[in-house]
Amino acid sequence: MNAVLSMQDTLADPRLARSGLGMGFIVGIQVFSFALMLALWFFISRRAGNAARWILTVMTVLGMFVTIPMVPVLAERGIGNMAFALVITVLQVAAVAFLFRSDARAWFARKGGIAPDDQSIFS
């Protein structure tokens, strides 16, 4: 979503114009990134893929290291953009943190199956 908010600034960047890459390239990269995230969440949620969980974790940590220094730049674009980017980052970190709770670790260990006598899933 941050990419959509900053699309005009990205396309106006003179470095992009000098490189010869245009809107099609930027949109292609965004579509690829979105598809990659959907695939990771699919493999995590439906296949209990431990590798996908770790890939998403690494990508989220790297995203945090990119977002935090960008806060002043985002603030120049408006408080709404900055707040939106920070909320997205916090939600991503929270979602990844839930993947490492004890019940989630047990679920990954079972490869996504529910233990037959596990009544705690309803509480």
Side-chain angles (χ1 to χ4, degrees):
M1 192 56 151
N2 287 334
V4 172
L5 292 175
S6 65
M7 184 67 74
Q8 290 300 109
D9 293 335
T10 302
L11 292 174
D13 190 347
R15 294 175 294 179
L16 182 66
R18 284 192 303 267
S19 71
L21 303 173
M23 180 114 164
F25 178 76
I26 298 297
V27 170
I29 293 293
Q30 294 306 320
V31 167
F32 173 77
S33 299
F34 186 70
L36 177 64
M37 290 308 230
L38 284 178
L40 285 173
W41 279 112
F42 170 78
F43 283 113
I44 290 168
S45 65
R46 295 295 184 187
R47 303 281 188 231
N50 199 38
R53 174 174 67 154
W54 282 104
I55 291 169
L56 182 66
T57 301
V58 168
M59 289 178 68
T60 301
V61 169
L62 291 175
M64 275 181 17
F65 286 128
V66 170
T67 301
I68 292 170
M70 291 295 293
V71 169
V73 174
L74 293 169
E76 290 174 6
R77 293 181 185 162
I79 193 73
N81 285 346
M82 181 185 73
F84 193 70
L86 292 175
V87 166
I88 288 172
T89 302
V90 167
L91 289 175
Q92 286 174 332
V93 169
V96 168
F98 280 119
L99 294 175
F100 290 92
R101 288 176 31 127
S102 61
D103 56 342
R105 284 193 308 268
W107 182 78
F108 279 102
R110 291 189 306 266
K111 298 294 182 199
I114 296 175
D117 60 346
D118 188 4
Q119 295 298 317
S120 67
I121 61 172
F122 298 109
S123 56

